[in-house]
Amino acid sequence: MLRSIITGFAVATVVLGAPVMSATASENTAKVTLVYEHELPNVPGKSIKGILVEYGPGGSSEAHTHPTSAFIYATVLEGSIRSQVNDGPVKVYHAGENFSEMPGDRHGVSANGSKTKPAKLLAVFVVDTKEKGLTFPIKK
């Protein structure tokens, strides 16, 4: 059931084409698309937002954080994703596997685990409704 829901969101992304930000200038940069957004009826002031992240072969995102109100649950839809949250180890997640990020976490590594195949990830945010920006680069 979850797989069909996730697949439906991925299809909706292609049909709706609602980019949050689209960095398609380079194969090495992630394409990020808002798939859905809905206010939670039983949690005033909170929304759920689905974000599809697509990496070309060898692609990655810069180190970043998210709003301090955000809890994120990410599922790899295709390929493999290298990820590091805070000072934890760099882990590789494969299609069907998932991980989470707590409010205030730093996402130091977010990259395609393959140099030759694409990868996709669905990140589901539970976040304050008023939040418009969902990703903020970490200044070095």
Side-chain angles (χ1 to χ4, degrees), residues 75-128:
T75 301
V76 179
L77 302 176
E78 177 184 328
S80 62
I81 301 289
R82 288 179 44 245
S83 179
Q84 179 188 36
V85 177
N86 296 323
D87 296 323
V90 176
K91 294 183 181 179
V92 177
Y93 298 90
H94 301 277
E97 295 182 321
N98 46 58
F99 62 92
S100 59
E101 294 179 54
M102 300 297 159
D105 280 352
R106 295 177 333 279
H107 202 166
V109 174
S110 184
N112 189 335
S114 172
K115 300 281 185 203
T116 60
K117 298 179 183 176
K120 293 181 185 177
L121 156 70
L122 178 67
V124 177
F125 286 66
V126 176
V127 64
D128 287 349

Side-chain angles (χ1 to χ4, degrees), residues 5-70:
I5 292 170
I6 291 170
T7 302
F9 290 138
V11 169
T13 299
V14 173
V15 173
L16 297 176
V20 171
M21 63 179 199
S22 181
T24 56
S26 166
E27 254 185 45
N28 293 331
T29 310
K31 177 182 176 191
V32 180
T33 307
L34 178 66
V35 179
Y36 64 91
E37 181 175 5
H38 188 76
E39 289 187 33
L40 297 174
N42 59 338
V43 187
K46 293 287 185 180
S47 288
I48 187 168
K49 298 181 183 189
I51 307 296
L52 180 67
V53 182
E54 299 174 89
Y55 293 105
S60 64
S61 298
E62 62 187 327
H64 59 272
T65 60
H66 300 287
T68 57
S69 68

